[in-house]
Amino acid sequence: MRNEYNLIDEPWIPVADHGRVGLADIFSRTDIRALGGNPIQKLAVMKLLLAIAQAACTPEDEEEWRKMGPEGLASCCLSYLERWRHRFFLFGEVPFLQMPKVESLVAARTDARLKKAKTRGKKKQEIQKGAPKPFGAGFYPDLPSDNNSMLSHTMLGKELDSGEQALFILTLMNFAFAGKRVEGGMKSLAGTVLSDKHSAPAGPSLGGFVGQLHGLVVTGDLRKDVWLNVLTREQIEKANRWPEGVGCPAWEAMPAHEQDARAKAIRESYQGCLVGVSRFVYLKDGGIYYLDGIQYPKVSEGWFEPTLMLDQSDKLPKAKYVNLEKRPWRELPAFLSFLESGSTAGFENMAFRVGVQRMKQRKERLCVWTGGIRVSSTSGDQSAKQDDDFLESTVWIDGDDLGTVWLNHLDLEMKGMDKLASTVYGSLRNYFADLHATPEYAGAQAALGSNLFWQFCERDFQTLVDNCERGERESQAREALRHRFVQHAHKVFDLYAPRETARQLEAWANRCPNPPAGYLETAERQQPTTQGA
């Protein structure tokens, strides 16, 4: 086959303000500030860029990392891409992250079934089943099921161009939805018998439940972001999570099947968690052959990615899942708890720890980015439906502010907002109870009101973050924000608690929310107790 569409040169990566660019543009241009696309597409592309960087030039330690700098790393990546140019063709003899052998497996199954087919209609049906599958909408790392309900135009299938197909495959490798859309009724490449209803597990970065939350540090300069998030060999060895160490990226040497030594090496290397191979796929005639791939362990079984939020407090580690009702910015103090020496609370996120410490030392402004997708899971089958959605959150922080004082002030303010949100919830619930509404209705309205309160507060959260350092000006700013948050509470209560009748007016007057005791005291009087501040 002729080699076509090289990902190094062709525009396929969505970036902010520029449309789509190729891999060479990412490492050669200085005007690309951030990736585009949905959150899991951003994660998948960032993982690919980091995999290229780790393959091109993994620094030995922090000293070598600092000396290399963004420019040095970008130069190494460009050299690497040129050296491995032949492995970045989307179509050809060795297509990028694809397994051409999958086509022959499907063809053999089709031939066997055609021999058994008795009618022309049955033969036509088997031929259709043996054809490449359609992509669907393309922005989910999943193929449409045969009985999909089309609720909006965004769910309609469409033809993907070559760049969209490349992005789809890349996202699929780590974030594939679990379910039965994979090919079945055949033997796998390793010889395992797959039933007609074979169900594949979720990609390791998505997880097998409702979708895992990821986070990392970015700067507003994409080349610098790659450099900032590259791990040193010293950090990889110290983490003791990957028996194969840095490893070899999948595109340099794909496995022959899902159980061979190469598959094991990919699964147990750092490169394998950056760009996995959770599906064996092959692009053909505008569609895709789609087979189950390498089997990955769960987080509870030892799977680890630097971008995952992991709770290590229990016997078995647990990943933090995407929660659309509680946006990640509300848990920022827990995410950054490692800034407080000796703290064991919160979540472990290696990418946060490495990125924040590096930017703190450089005294530069950084952005804490979190993102993921919420999915529904039924009997091991995942899909995005009803109120499922992508989640993305960004918070900018000055590197020279980061420390115990800043973190304790932020934690104090967030606890106050939590109490205020609880007050809103209780006031609305009691208001509807006074009007003899059912407990279910009263609770639902209270939950909606509390959620709206947090939406109002999110508009001012960046200002709060910027004023959590010690100082008179900062204290005055936090005090003003508290008054503003109380105004949000009253506004939400007024929106959800009408006062048009005498009974409503009486209930409104009795249940109007008052701020928690001491909340409106001056910030100076509420300085948190700190040790070693």
Side-chain angles (χ1 to χ4, degrees), residues 166-435:
L167 186 59
F168 178 85
I169 285 180
L170 180 64
T171 310
L172 196 69
M173 290 302 156
N174 283 59
F175 292 92
F177 288 5
K180 300 179 178 65
R181 268 78 71 190
V182 294
E183 299 283 0
M186 63 174 71
K187 287 186 178 181
S188 72
L189 290 171
T192 303
V193 177
L194 305 177
S195 69
D196 286 332
K197 299 297 183 180
H198 175 71
S199 182
S205 298
L206 179 69
F209 188 41
V210 297
Q212 296 171 158
L213 185 67
H214 293 256
L216 70 160
V217 174
V218 295
T219 66
D221 178 342
L222 188 52
R223 291 205 306 177
K224 189 174 181 179
D225 294 346
V226 177
W227 172 69
L228 179 66
N229 287 282
V230 161
L231 298 184
T232 66
R233 292 189 187 277
E234 185 178 72
Q235 289 167 335
I236 291 172
E237 291 174 5
K238 186 177 180 180
N240 195 29
R241 299 286 188 169
W242 304 286
E244 292 288 331
V246 178
C248 169
W251 60 82
E252 288 189 13
M254 290 288 284
H257 56 76
E258 67 273 20
Q259 296 178 13
D260 67 359
R262 180 67 187 127
K264 181 176 182 292
I266 291 174
R267 187 174 59 245
E268 296 183 351
S269 70
Y270 178 48
Q271 283 283 6
C273 85
L274 291 174
V275 179
V277 191
S278 66
R279 297 290 184 270
F280 290 157
V281 300
Y282 182 53
L283 297 174
K284 187 73 176 292
D285 299 333
I288 186 171
Y289 289 107
Y290 188 66
L291 195 68
D292 199 356
I294 298 175
Q295 302 296 304
Y296 290 84
K298 302 175 182 177
V299 167
S300 60
E301 298 169 339
W303 179 255
F304 180 87
E305 293 183 33
T307 57
L308 284 175
M309 308 285 187
L310 298 179
D311 181 358
Q312 303 277 15
S313 60
D314 292 336
K315 186 175 181 180
L316 295 177
K318 297 179 182 178
K320 183 170 182 59
Y321 294 106
V322 172
N323 184 351
L324 299 178
E325 298 298 321
K326 188 174 184 180
R327 292 180 61 82
W329 63 268
R330 291 169 53 184
E331 299 180 271
L332 186 61
F335 295 162
L336 302 181
S337 61
F338 60 85
L339 291 170
E340 205 166 9
S341 60
S343 174
T344 58
F347 300 89
E348 177 186 346
N349 179 290
M350 187 177 181
F352 279 168
R353 184 181 293 271
V354 171
V356 168
Q357 294 292 4
R358 285 173 170 175
M359 293 299 284
K360 181 181 178 182
Q361 292 173 2
R362 296 171 64 85
K363 299 184 182 297
E364 295 182 20
R365 193 165 174 81
L366 60 98
C367 176
V368 174
W369 183 94
T370 46
I373 183 174
R374 170 83 180 193
V375 296
S376 297
S377 181
T378 305
S379 301
D381 198 84
Q382 291 175 318
S383 58
K385 57 186 179 182
Q386 297 176 352
D387 57 351
D388 294 330
D389 203 355
F390 298 104
L391 177 68
E392 186 172 10
S393 179
T394 57
V395 181
W396 286 88
I397 308 171
D398 286 324
D400 54 357
D401 285 347
L402 286 169
T404 303
V405 170
W406 177 88
L407 184 63
N408 284 340
H409 280 153
L410 179 62
D411 187 46
L412 179 68
E413 297 299 331
M414 293 307 300
K415 288 177 179 177
M417 292 167 68
D418 278 329
K419 292 179 180 178
L420 193 54
S422 296
T423 299
V424 172
Y425 180 91
S427 296
L428 284 172
R429 185 188 57 194
N430 291 332
Y431 167 86
F432 286 104
D434 289 349
L435 297 177

